[in-house]
Amino acid sequence: MSTVTIKDVAALAGVSPATASRVLSGNPATSPQARERVAAAVKQLEFQPNAQARSLRSTRTDSIGLLVSDVRNPFFADLAHTVEQSALAAGYVTLLGNANERTDQQDRYLNSLISRRVDGIIVAPQGGDSASIRALIKRRIPTIFVDRVIADIDLPSVTTNSDTGIRQAVAHLAERGHTRIGYIAGPQSISTGRERYSAFTRAIAATGLSADPALIYVGDFQAASGSAAVHALLSLTDAPTAIIAADSLMAVGAVAMLQRLDLRIGEDIALVAFDDIEWFSLLTPALSVITHSVEDMGRIAVQLLLQVIDGQHPQSVVLPSELIIRASSAGAAHATLPPSSRKN
Amino acid sequence: MSTVTIKDVAALAGVSPATASRVLSGNPATSPQARERVAAAVKQLEFQPNAQARSLRSTRTDSIGLLVSDVRNPFFADLAHTVEQSALAAGYVTLLGNANERTDQQDRYLNSLISRRVDGIIVAPQGGDSASIRALIKRRIPTIFVDRVIADIDLPSVTTNSDTGIRQAVAHLAERGHTRIGYIAGPQSISTGRERYSAFTRAIAATGLSADPALIYVGDFQAASGSAAVHALLSLTDAPTAIIAADSLMAVGAVAMLQRLDLRIGEDIALVAFDDIEWFSLLTPALSVITHSVEDMGRIAVQLLLQVIDGQHPQSVVLPSELIIRASSAGAAHATLPPSSRKN
DNA sequence: CGATTCCATGGAATCGATTCCATGAGCGTA
DNA sequence: TACGCTCATGGAATCGATTCCATGGAATCG
């Protein structure tokens, strides 16, 4: 094959491979002539250094790994985008892994990233404890949790404080006259699922609204479970007049099911979603959301990771969340008819 | 550091590094005892082979690169997902690069992928000619174009034949009584932009509808240009009664602007989008779309790439497109009022 | 039973860059 | 003039795995 190595460059430039290497890595101990001639040779031969060989010796790869739960989730797609851009600005290439909401694929990707000797890893961890995440720690591979954490593993993280946003949402709905608020929770094996759930129950208790356990439906952060949740909640004899969904995908499922049931969102029933997605405001009616900044999250995660790589021990960062009121929750509460009496 | 190498494994297992390597790579020339003892040592030391060292010698990295225009575009997020899953099934890890709709970032990622000696690359190329894409060919790196191609570069590709879908859409709108159809085109520097545009003009000519050039607005495949397009088209003295958008993001921008102008989609004006996005059917009214299978596209792209890696010369594949009629284009045509007379 | 093949194995070269170490030229100062 | 210092440079070791090649013992065949 036409593999051009640094020896070829050195030969053409009339210097040793050592000098060529120094020029390429910007080592100051090089003469202007050498720099010039090596640069010319590199251009002429279209030399591309072999990253494998380079990092084998220097133990740096200038790459970081990012492991998300699902790229198709707009939240994680946005996160991938900001992480990637921030890392690129700092001279790192991002390898994106997709756990596909499965622990086995998460482990497979983590092992692959370890083998590739990435300089650090940002991970939105899947579910509970994981052997391969413990392996990261044992090998002292710089690692940051983003969005989600694992309870008993102490690593720097960037997360959202969902408490404020959820409290605002519950207060807002209470003010509109809702007393029975349904909640579509995320899986309790995931930290965000647990945290948002407990924030919701605290807010309910603080506001003195109905704490009927039947109003809680535990989903899996995927669209289908949002649909199932709406169906279940509206089948109750005493159905909720408002619903909060713990992530955007379950909110999508909820919207789809509400439309199928011919219920008018914002009139027959109020709906608030966690996570703001660009097109949520295009729905009719526009969706009220609890928002948090993906841009900040991604940018700060990279920042923390670079600090860990640099040998520092940064503090975890908690970002705020906030309610944005749109038409889907603006109307006053009145009794929701069960789906059976309307259609079907 | 606690870097465990194959020598440590070999020492613990009481064999040579050569034998340990053979066991690890599944070489049949190994005794059951050796296999057993090496396996035990690997497990005990939690050995993870160094991918750099491995691929430096063997020239295989078991990884492929995927370069898309924008991860935040749901179409490419879905594509990334299917490519990644197909590749994983074949034993390859996918490195995802995000050109961010910019040629310089595309080139930067391509060079990085070349340096990492990926076994092959799937790319949705940015704009016109590119030095780094020519570099791929010169180095004989297995490469496949997906979704988009570059005109004078002859590489296997997986693309969509937009002709059928667009013809169906135009015919459908003509049947509903529309004679002036606006078209929000993609950039003419991108193959899909050109191809869909010419498909549209052909369909218009075949149906005998108005070919007024003022009905064509050239956008950039991003949401903002969809909004601008709608604003421009509806400011015409003889405004279109229906609009076709050449991709999903521009359709999103179009929907946002139509809502801002207080126009009822499906009644005041018909709208059809290229690319089907899951939540397009959740809009009120649900959006009519020209759909093509992302799953097939991703799966086949990986398949072709593996064939090229294997030394074969596969034929390019062209996938079909098809119209799905929903409420946004179901109504009969009647004159669209210019935005100025309604609001603003 | 001797010759030949087969096969598991270890030693050593190799992949392509980086980096340690030694060298020698150039220069300033005593 | 001689000594010490800086600094660019080349030779060679190195990173960690793979793989070529040689070897010796076991199995097979005439």
Side-chain angles (χ1 to χ4, degrees), chain A residues 85-119:
Chain A
Q85 292 294 309
S86 306
L88 203 60
Y92 287 84
V93 172
T94 304
L95 311 189
L96 178 64
N98 184 11
N100 210 24
E101 300 284 7
R102 287 169 48 174
T103 315
D104 59 327
Q105 283 197 20
Q106 160 175 291
D107 289 354
R108 179 154 182 194
Y109 263 105
L110 283 181
N111 286 336
S112 169
L113 291 173
I114 294 174
S115 276
R116 290 196 154 63
R117 302 290 194 268
V118 290
D119 295 340

PDB file of all heavy atoms in Angstrom, chain A residues 85-119:
ATOM      1  N   GLN A  85     -18.655  19.587  19.977  1.00  0.00           N
ATOM      2  CA  GLN A  85     -18.121  20.888  19.585  1.00  0.00           C
ATOM      3  C   GLN A  85     -17.149  21.436  20.638  1.00  0.00           C
ATOM      4  O   GLN A  85     -16.107  21.986  20.306  1.00  0.00           O
ATOM      5  CB  GLN A  85     -19.269  21.884  19.356  1.00  0.00           C
ATOM      6  CG  GLN A  85     -20.140  21.559  18.140  1.00  0.00           C
ATOM      7  CD  GLN A  85     -19.386  21.684  16.828  1.00  0.00           C
ATOM      8  OE1 GLN A  85     -18.750  22.689  16.563  1.00  0.00           O
ATOM      9  NE2 GLN A  85     -19.429  20.626  16.021  1.00  0.00           N
ATOM     10  N   SER A  86     -17.498  21.282  21.902  1.00  0.00           N
ATOM     11  CA  SER A  86     -16.607  21.773  22.958  1.00  0.00           C
ATOM     12  C   SER A  86     -15.283  21.012  22.931  1.00  0.00           C
ATOM     13  O   SER A  86     -14.212  21.597  23.076  1.00  0.00           O
ATOM     14  CB  SER A  86     -17.249  21.588  24.337  1.00  0.00           C
ATOM     15  OG  SER A  86     -18.516  22.171  24.386  1.00  0.00           O
ATOM     16  N   ALA A  87     -15.373  19.699  22.767  1.00  0.00           N
ATOM     17  CA  ALA A  87     -14.172  18.879  22.762  1.00  0.00           C
ATOM     18  C   ALA A  87     -13.292  19.242  21.569  1.00  0.00           C
ATOM     19  O   ALA A  87     -12.070  19.361  21.703  1.00  0.00           O
ATOM     20  CB  ALA A  87     -14.541  17.399  22.716  1.00  0.00           C
ATOM     21  N   LEU A  88     -13.922  19.434  20.434  1.00  0.00           N
ATOM     22  CA  LEU A  88     -13.182  19.779  19.226  1.00  0.00           C
ATOM     23  C   LEU A  88     -12.411  21.077  19.430  1.00  0.00           C
ATOM     24  O   LEU A  88     -11.257  21.195  19.034  1.00  0.00           O
ATOM     25  CB  LEU A  88     -14.157  19.925  18.053  1.00  0.00           C
ATOM     26  CG  LEU A  88     -13.573  19.734  16.652  1.00  0.00           C
ATOM     27  CD1 LEU A  88     -12.987  18.345  16.509  1.00  0.00           C
ATOM     28  CD2 LEU A  88     -14.648  19.956  15.598  1.00  0.00           C
ATOM     29  N   ALA A  89     -13.061  22.027  20.087  1.00  0.00           N
ATOM     30  CA  ALA A  89     -12.416  23.319  20.338  1.00  0.00           C
ATOM     31  C   ALA A  89     -11.186  23.139  21.220  1.00  0.00           C
ATOM     32  O   ALA A  89     -10.226  23.898  21.130  1.00  0.00           O
ATOM     33  CB  ALA A  89     -13.411  24.275  20.982  1.00  0.00           C
ATOM     34  N   ALA A  90     -11.199  22.113  22.075  1.00  0.00           N
ATOM     35  CA  ALA A  90     -10.062  21.868  22.955  1.00  0.00           C
ATOM     36  C   ALA A  90      -9.066  20.901  22.328  1.00  0.00           C
ATOM     37  O   ALA A  90      -8.118  20.463  22.977  1.00  0.00           O
ATOM     38  CB  ALA A  90     -10.556  21.321  24.293  1.00  0.00           C
ATOM     39  N   GLY A  91      -9.294  20.524  21.082  1.00  0.00           N
ATOM     40  CA  GLY A  91      -8.352  19.664  20.391  1.00  0.00           C
ATOM     41  C   GLY A  91      -8.606  18.179  20.545  1.00  0.00           C
ATOM     42  O   GLY A  91      -7.743  17.366  20.232  1.00  0.00           O
ATOM     43  N   TYR A  92      -9.786  17.820  21.008  1.00  0.00           N
ATOM     44  CA  TYR A  92     -10.106  16.405  21.175  1.00  0.00           C
ATOM     45  C   TYR A  92     -11.164  15.958  20.181  1.00  0.00           C
ATOM     46  O   TYR A  92     -12.091  16.709  19.870  1.00  0.00           O
ATOM     47  CB  TYR A  92     -10.635  16.135  22.587  1.00  0.00           C
ATOM     48  CG  TYR A  92      -9.581  16.181  23.655  1.00  0.00           C
ATOM     49  CD1 TYR A  92      -9.190  17.385  24.219  1.00  0.00           C
ATOM     50  CD2 TYR A  92      -8.954  15.015  24.082  1.00  0.00           C
ATOM     51  CE1 TYR A  92      -8.209  17.437  25.200  1.00  0.00           C
ATOM     52  CE2 TYR A  92      -7.981  15.046  25.058  1.00  0.00           C
ATOM     53  CZ  TYR A  92      -7.607  16.262  25.614  1.00  0.00           C
ATOM     54  OH  TYR A  92      -6.643  16.290  26.577  1.00  0.00           O
ATOM     55  N   VAL A  93     -11.035  14.737  19.721  1.00  0.00           N
ATOM     56  CA  VAL A  93     -12.069  14.142  18.891  1.00  0.00           C
ATOM     57  C   VAL A  93     -12.962  13.303  19.792  1.00  0.00           C
ATOM     58  O   VAL A  93     -12.490  12.679  20.738  1.00  0.00           O
ATOM     59  CB  VAL A  93     -11.444  13.264  17.792  1.00  0.00           C
ATOM     60  CG1 VAL A  93     -12.503  12.492  17.055  1.00  0.00           C
ATOM     61  CG2 VAL A  93     -10.655  14.134  16.839  1.00  0.00           C
ATOM     62  N   THR A  94     -14.240  13.318  19.511  1.00  0.00           N
ATOM     63  CA  THR A  94     -15.193  12.584  20.342  1.00  0.00           C
ATOM     64  C   THR A  94     -15.608  11.278  19.669  1.00  0.00           C
ATOM     65  O   THR A  94     -15.992  11.286  18.501  1.00  0.00           O
ATOM     66  CB  THR A  94     -16.449  13.437  20.573  1.00  0.00           C
ATOM     67  OG1 THR A  94     -16.062  14.676  21.140  1.00  0.00           O
ATOM     68  CG2 THR A  94     -17.412  12.716  21.506  1.00  0.00           C
ATOM     69  N   LEU A  95     -15.509  10.192  20.401  1.00  0.00           N
ATOM     70  CA  LEU A  95     -16.048   8.934  19.912  1.00  0.00           C
ATOM     71  C   LEU A  95     -17.388   8.731  20.590  1.00  0.00           C
ATOM     72  O   LEU A  95     -17.466   8.670  21.818  1.00  0.00           O
ATOM     73  CB  LEU A  95     -15.121   7.768  20.244  1.00  0.00           C
ATOM     74  CG  LEU A  95     -13.649   7.982  19.894  1.00  0.00           C
ATOM     75  CD1 LEU A  95     -12.889   6.668  20.058  1.00  0.00           C
ATOM     76  CD2 LEU A  95     -13.513   8.473  18.475  1.00  0.00           C
ATOM     77  N   LEU A  96     -18.441   8.650  19.777  1.00  0.00           N
ATOM     78  CA  LEU A  96     -19.772   8.553  20.338  1.00  0.00           C
ATOM     79  C   LEU A  96     -20.224   7.110  20.421  1.00  0.00           C
ATOM     80  O   LEU A  96     -20.202   6.386  19.438  1.00  0.00           O
ATOM     81  CB  LEU A  96     -20.758   9.348  19.472  1.00  0.00           C
ATOM     82  CG  LEU A  96     -22.205   9.294  19.915  1.00  0.00           C
ATOM     83  CD1 LEU A  96     -22.369   9.930  21.274  1.00  0.00           C
ATOM     84  CD2 LEU A  96     -23.097   9.990  18.903  1.00  0.00           C
ATOM     85  N   GLY A  97     -20.612   6.697  21.607  1.00  0.00           N
ATOM     86  CA  GLY A  97     -21.169   5.364  21.782  1.00  0.00           C
ATOM     87  C   GLY A  97     -22.629   5.470  22.149  1.00  0.00           C
ATOM     88  O   GLY A  97     -23.050   6.434  22.778  1.00  0.00           O
ATOM     89  N   ASN A  98     -23.385   4.482  21.742  1.00  0.00           N
ATOM     90  CA  ASN A  98     -24.821   4.515  21.927  1.00  0.00           C
ATOM     91  C   ASN A  98     -25.245   3.267  22.689  1.00  0.00           C
ATOM     92  O   ASN A  98     -25.247   2.177  22.137  1.00  0.00           O
ATOM     93  CB  ASN A  98     -25.478   4.556  20.553  1.00  0.00           C
ATOM     94  CG  ASN A  98     -26.972   4.686  20.641  1.00  0.00           C
ATOM     95  OD1 ASN A  98     -27.513   4.940  21.713  1.00  0.00           O
ATOM     96  ND2 ASN A  98     -27.632   4.503  19.530  1.00  0.00           N
ATOM     97  N   ALA A  99     -25.583   3.419  23.949  1.00  0.00           N
ATOM     98  CA  ALA A  99     -25.916   2.240  24.757  1.00  0.00           C
ATOM     99  C   ALA A  99     -27.260   1.659  24.361  1.00  0.00           C
ATOM    100  O   ALA A  99     -27.566   0.512  24.692  1.00  0.00           O
ATOM    101  CB  ALA A  99     -25.926   2.598  26.233  1.00  0.00           C
ATOM    102  N   ASN A 100     -28.048   2.464  23.625  1.00  0.00           N
ATOM    103  CA  ASN A 100     -29.320   1.952  23.159  1.00  0.00           C
ATOM    104  C   ASN A 100     -30.194   1.496  24.329  1.00  0.00           C
ATOM    105  O   ASN A 100     -30.943   0.543  24.219  1.00  0.00           O
ATOM    106  CB  ASN A 100     -29.064   0.783  22.200  1.00  0.00           C
ATOM    107  CG  ASN A 100     -30.146   0.665  21.157  1.00  0.00           C
ATOM    108  OD1 ASN A 100     -30.817   1.648  20.854  1.00  0.00           O
ATOM    109  ND2 ASN A 100     -30.336  -0.528  20.646  1.00  0.00           N
ATOM    110  N   GLU A 101     -30.053   2.191  25.452  1.00  0.00           N
ATOM    111  CA  GLU A 101     -30.801   1.891  26.679  1.00  0.00           C
ATOM    112  C   GLU A 101     -30.558   0.472  27.184  1.00  0.00           C
ATOM    113  O   GLU A 101     -31.406  -0.112  27.843  1.00  0.00           O
ATOM    114  CB  GLU A 101     -32.309   2.121  26.477  1.00  0.00           C
ATOM    115  CG  GLU A 101     -32.704   3.541  26.103  1.00  0.00           C
ATOM    116  CD  GLU A 101     -32.662   4.524  27.273  1.00  0.00           C
ATOM    117  OE1 GLU A 101     -32.192   4.153  28.361  1.00  0.00           O
ATOM    118  OE2 GLU A 101     -33.092   5.681  27.071  1.00  0.00           O
ATOM    119  N   ARG A 102     -29.424  -0.087  26.870  1.00  0.00           N
ATOM    120  CA  ARG A 102     -29.149  -1.461  27.321  1.00  0.00           C
ATOM    121  C   ARG A 102     -27.795  -1.536  28.005  1.00  0.00           C
ATOM    122  O   ARG A 102     -26.783  -1.026  27.498  1.00  0.00           O
ATOM    123  CB  ARG A 102     -29.180  -2.425  26.130  1.00  0.00           C
ATOM    124  CG  ARG A 102     -30.609  -2.659  25.650  1.00  0.00           C
ATOM    125  CD  ARG A 102     -30.621  -3.370  24.332  1.00  0.00           C
ATOM    126  NE  ARG A 102     -29.737  -4.530  24.328  1.00  0.00           N
ATOM    127  CZ  ARG A 102     -29.663  -5.381  23.327  1.00  0.00           C
ATOM    128  NH1 ARG A 102     -30.396  -5.208  22.268  1.00  0.00           N
ATOM    129  NH2 ARG A 102     -28.847  -6.403  23.393  1.00  0.00           N
ATOM    130  N   THR A 103     -27.763  -2.214  29.148  1.00  0.00           N
ATOM    131  CA  THR A 103     -26.535  -2.290  29.921  1.00  0.00           C
ATOM    132  C   THR A 103     -25.453  -3.078  29.185  1.00  0.00           C
ATOM    133  O   THR A 103     -24.275  -2.730  29.247  1.00  0.00           O
ATOM    134  CB  THR A 103     -26.802  -2.929  31.292  1.00  0.00           C
ATOM    135  OG1 THR A 103     -27.979  -2.347  31.835  1.00  0.00           O
ATOM    136  CG2 THR A 103     -25.645  -2.672  32.223  1.00  0.00           C
ATOM    137  N   ASP A 104     -25.850  -4.121  28.465  1.00  0.00           N
ATOM    138  CA  ASP A 104     -24.822  -4.926  27.794  1.00  0.00           C
ATOM    139  C   ASP A 104     -24.125  -4.128  26.699  1.00  0.00           C
ATOM    140  O   ASP A 104     -22.908  -4.214  26.542  1.00  0.00           O
ATOM    141  CB  ASP A 104     -25.434  -6.223  27.228  1.00  0.00           C
ATOM    142  CG  ASP A 104     -26.542  -5.952  26.225  1.00  0.00           C
ATOM    143  OD1 ASP A 104     -27.251  -4.934  26.391  1.00  0.00           O
ATOM    144  OD2 ASP A 104     -26.693  -6.737  25.271  1.00  0.00           O
ATOM    145  N   GLN A 105     -24.910  -3.299  25.971  1.00  0.00           N
ATOM    146  CA  GLN A 105     -24.256  -2.487  24.942  1.00  0.00           C
ATOM    147  C   GLN A 105     -23.409  -1.396  25.571  1.00  0.00           C
ATOM    148  O   GLN A 105     -22.364  -1.032  25.034  1.00  0.00           O
ATOM    149  CB  GLN A 105     -25.291  -1.874  23.995  1.00  0.00           C
ATOM    150  CG  GLN A 105     -25.817  -2.890  22.998  1.00  0.00           C
ATOM    151  CD  GLN A 105     -26.504  -2.236  21.807  1.00  0.00           C
ATOM    152  OE1 GLN A 105     -26.298  -1.066  21.509  1.00  0.00           O
ATOM    153  NE2 GLN A 105     -27.319  -3.021  21.133  1.00  0.00           N
ATOM    154  N   GLN A 106     -23.848  -0.872  26.702  1.00  0.00           N
ATOM    155  CA  GLN A 106     -23.033   0.105  27.420  1.00  0.00           C
ATOM    156  C   GLN A 106     -21.684  -0.509  27.769  1.00  0.00           C
ATOM    157  O   GLN A 106     -20.622   0.086  27.547  1.00  0.00           O
ATOM    158  CB  GLN A 106     -23.732   0.551  28.697  1.00  0.00           C
ATOM    159  CG  GLN A 106     -22.790   1.159  29.714  1.00  0.00           C
ATOM    160  CD  GLN A 106     -23.539   1.700  30.922  1.00  0.00           C
ATOM    161  OE1 GLN A 106     -24.259   2.673  30.817  1.00  0.00           O
ATOM    162  NE2 GLN A 106     -23.385   1.047  32.052  1.00  0.00           N
ATOM    163  N   ASP A 107     -21.715  -1.713  28.317  1.00  0.00           N
ATOM    164  CA  ASP A 107     -20.470  -2.366  28.726  1.00  0.00           C
ATOM    165  C   ASP A 107     -19.577  -2.640  27.524  1.00  0.00           C
ATOM    166  O   ASP A 107     -18.366  -2.460  27.570  1.00  0.00           O
ATOM    167  CB  ASP A 107     -20.781  -3.675  29.464  1.00  0.00           C
ATOM    168  CG  ASP A 107     -21.383  -3.390  30.836  1.00  0.00           C
ATOM    169  OD1 ASP A 107     -21.437  -2.204  31.219  1.00  0.00           O
ATOM    170  OD2 ASP A 107     -21.810  -4.335  31.506  1.00  0.00           O
ATOM    171  N   ARG A 108     -20.202  -3.057  26.455  1.00  0.00           N
ATOM    172  CA  ARG A 108     -19.420  -3.352  25.265  1.00  0.00           C
ATOM    173  C   ARG A 108     -18.683  -2.111  24.769  1.00  0.00           C
ATOM    174  O   ARG A 108     -17.501  -2.160  24.430  1.00  0.00           O
ATOM    175  CB  ARG A 108     -20.364  -3.875  24.183  1.00  0.00           C
ATOM    176  CG  ARG A 108     -19.657  -4.195  22.917  1.00  0.00           C
ATOM    177  CD  ARG A 108     -20.388  -5.230  22.110  1.00  0.00           C
ATOM    178  NE  ARG A 108     -19.607  -5.512  20.917  1.00  0.00           N
ATOM    179  CZ  ARG A 108     -20.085  -6.158  19.878  1.00  0.00           C
ATOM    180  NH1 ARG A 108     -21.311  -6.614  19.907  1.00  0.00           N
ATOM    181  NH2 ARG A 108     -19.333  -6.385  18.825  1.00  0.00           N
ATOM    182  N   TYR A 109     -19.410  -0.988  24.741  1.00  0.00           N
ATOM    183  CA  TYR A 109     -18.788   0.252  24.292  1.00  0.00           C
ATOM    184  C   TYR A 109     -17.716   0.729  25.263  1.00  0.00           C
ATOM    185  O   TYR A 109     -16.667   1.213  24.857  1.00  0.00           O
ATOM    186  CB  TYR A 109     -19.824   1.358  24.095  1.00  0.00           C
ATOM    187  CG  TYR A 109     -20.238   1.485  22.668  1.00  0.00           C
ATOM    188  CD1 TYR A 109     -21.460   1.021  22.243  1.00  0.00           C
ATOM    189  CD2 TYR A 109     -19.381   2.042  21.737  1.00  0.00           C
ATOM    190  CE1 TYR A 109     -21.838   1.116  20.905  1.00  0.00           C
ATOM    191  CE2 TYR A 109     -19.738   2.142  20.406  1.00  0.00           C
ATOM    192  CZ  TYR A 109     -20.975   1.679  20.001  1.00  0.00           C
ATOM    193  OH  TYR A 109     -21.329   1.768  18.694  1.00  0.00           O
ATOM    194  N   LEU A 110     -17.983   0.606  26.556  1.00  0.00           N
ATOM    195  CA  LEU A 110     -16.980   1.048  27.526  1.00  0.00           C
ATOM    196  C   LEU A 110     -15.696   0.251  27.349  1.00  0.00           C
ATOM    197  O   LEU A 110     -14.600   0.820  27.337  1.00  0.00           O
ATOM    198  CB  LEU A 110     -17.525   0.904  28.947  1.00  0.00           C
ATOM    199  CG  LEU A 110     -18.513   1.987  29.369  1.00  0.00           C
ATOM    200  CD1 LEU A 110     -18.966   1.771  30.801  1.00  0.00           C
ATOM    201  CD2 LEU A 110     -17.888   3.371  29.226  1.00  0.00           C
ATOM    202  N   ASN A 111     -15.825  -1.056  27.184  1.00  0.00           N
ATOM    203  CA  ASN A 111     -14.628  -1.870  26.985  1.00  0.00           C
ATOM    204  C   ASN A 111     -13.892  -1.449  25.720  1.00  0.00           C
ATOM    205  O   ASN A 111     -12.664  -1.380  25.690  1.00  0.00           O
ATOM    206  CB  ASN A 111     -14.997  -3.349  26.913  1.00  0.00           C
ATOM    207  CG  ASN A 111     -15.354  -3.894  28.283  1.00  0.00           C
ATOM    208  OD1 ASN A 111     -14.931  -3.354  29.296  1.00  0.00           O
ATOM    209  ND2 ASN A 111     -16.161  -4.937  28.322  1.00  0.00           N
ATOM    210  N   SER A 112     -14.668  -1.160  24.697  1.00  0.00           N
ATOM    211  CA  SER A 112     -14.050  -0.732  23.455  1.00  0.00           C
ATOM    212  C   SER A 112     -13.314   0.602  23.644  1.00  0.00           C
ATOM    213  O   SER A 112     -12.205   0.784  23.134  1.00  0.00           O
ATOM    214  CB  SER A 112     -15.124  -0.602  22.383  1.00  0.00           C
ATOM    215  OG  SER A 112     -14.601   0.035  21.249  1.00  0.00           O
ATOM    216  N   LEU A 113     -13.919   1.496  24.407  1.00  0.00           N
ATOM    217  CA  LEU A 113     -13.269   2.790  24.653  1.00  0.00           C
ATOM    218  C   LEU A 113     -12.010   2.612  25.496  1.00  0.00           C
ATOM    219  O   LEU A 113     -11.002   3.280  25.271  1.00  0.00           O
ATOM    220  CB  LEU A 113     -14.242   3.744  25.345  1.00  0.00           C
ATOM    221  CG  LEU A 113     -15.424   4.226  24.482  1.00  0.00           C
ATOM    222  CD1 LEU A 113     -16.422   5.022  25.320  1.00  0.00           C
ATOM    223  CD2 LEU A 113     -14.945   5.050  23.306  1.00  0.00           C
ATOM    224  N   ILE A 114     -12.064   1.709  26.463  1.00  0.00           N
ATOM    225  CA  ILE A 114     -10.874   1.423  27.269  1.00  0.00           C
ATOM    226  C   ILE A 114      -9.761   0.875  26.377  1.00  0.00           C
ATOM    227  O   ILE A 114      -8.610   1.310  26.447  1.00  0.00           O
ATOM    228  CB  ILE A 114     -11.196   0.406  28.381  1.00  0.00           C
ATOM    229  CG1 ILE A 114     -12.174   1.010  29.399  1.00  0.00           C
ATOM    230  CG2 ILE A 114      -9.918  -0.046  29.083  1.00  0.00           C
ATOM    231  CD1 ILE A 114     -12.651   0.019  30.443  1.00  0.00           C
ATOM    232  N   SER A 115     -10.108  -0.062  25.526  1.00  0.00           N
ATOM    233  CA  SER A 115      -9.118  -0.640  24.621  1.00  0.00           C
ATOM    234  C   SER A 115      -8.500   0.418  23.734  1.00  0.00           C
ATOM    235  O   SER A 115      -7.331   0.347  23.385  1.00  0.00           O
ATOM    236  CB  SER A 115      -9.770  -1.706  23.731  1.00  0.00           C
ATOM    237  OG  SER A 115      -9.820  -2.939  24.385  1.00  0.00           O
ATOM    238  N   ARG A 116      -9.299   1.378  23.333  1.00  0.00           N
ATOM    239  CA  ARG A 116      -8.789   2.429  22.458  1.00  0.00           C
ATOM    240  C   ARG A 116      -8.019   3.476  23.248  1.00  0.00           C
ATOM    241  O   ARG A 116      -7.534   4.437  22.676  1.00  0.00           O
ATOM    242  CB  ARG A 116      -9.931   3.076  21.686  1.00  0.00           C
ATOM    243  CG  ARG A 116     -10.490   2.161  20.659  1.00  0.00           C
ATOM    244  CD  ARG A 116     -11.346   2.868  19.642  1.00  0.00           C
ATOM    245  NE  ARG A 116     -11.343   2.116  18.414  1.00  0.00           N
ATOM    246  CZ  ARG A 116     -11.813   0.877  18.288  1.00  0.00           C
ATOM    247  NH1 ARG A 116     -12.343   0.291  19.330  1.00  0.00           N
ATOM    248  NH2 ARG A 116     -11.751   0.248  17.147  1.00  0.00           N
ATOM    249  N   ARG A 117      -7.977   3.304  24.541  1.00  0.00           N
ATOM    250  CA  ARG A 117      -7.197   4.200  25.404  1.00  0.00           C
ATOM    251  C   ARG A 117      -7.573   5.665  25.223  1.00  0.00           C
ATOM    252  O   ARG A 117      -6.686   6.524  25.102  1.00  0.00           O
ATOM    253  CB  ARG A 117      -5.695   4.023  25.150  1.00  0.00           C
ATOM    254  CG  ARG A 117      -5.166   2.604  25.374  1.00  0.00           C
ATOM    255  CD  ARG A 117      -5.170   2.222  26.832  1.00  0.00           C
ATOM    256  NE  ARG A 117      -4.397   1.026  27.118  1.00  0.00           N
ATOM    257  CZ  ARG A 117      -4.900  -0.221  27.143  1.00  0.00           C
ATOM    258  NH1 ARG A 117      -6.175  -0.432  26.895  1.00  0.00           N
ATOM    259  NH2 ARG A 117      -4.118  -1.241  27.454  1.00  0.00           N
ATOM    260  N   VAL A 118      -8.884   5.934  25.178  1.00  0.00           N
ATOM    261  CA  VAL A 118      -9.302   7.333  25.120  1.00  0.00           C
ATOM    262  C   VAL A 118      -8.781   8.051  26.356  1.00  0.00           C
ATOM    263  O   VAL A 118      -8.560   7.439  27.394  1.00  0.00           O
ATOM    264  CB  VAL A 118     -10.843   7.468  25.052  1.00  0.00           C
ATOM    265  CG1 VAL A 118     -11.365   6.984  23.716  1.00  0.00           C
ATOM    266  CG2 VAL A 118     -11.505   6.756  26.196  1.00  0.00           C
ATOM    267  N   ASP A 119      -8.581   9.359  26.241  1.00  0.00           N
ATOM    268  CA  ASP A 119      -8.008  10.119  27.353  1.00  0.00           C
ATOM    269  C   ASP A 119      -9.021  10.348  28.466  1.00  0.00           C
ATOM    270  O   ASP A 119      -8.642  10.683  29.597  1.00  0.00           O
ATOM    271  CB  ASP A 119      -7.487  11.467  26.851  1.00  0.00           C
ATOM    272  CG  ASP A 119      -6.321  11.289  25.888  1.00  0.00           C
ATOM    273  OD1 ASP A 119      -5.699  10.208  25.923  1.00  0.00           O
ATOM    274  OD2 ASP A 119      -6.035  12.214  25.110  1.00  0.00           O
TER     275      ASP A 119
END
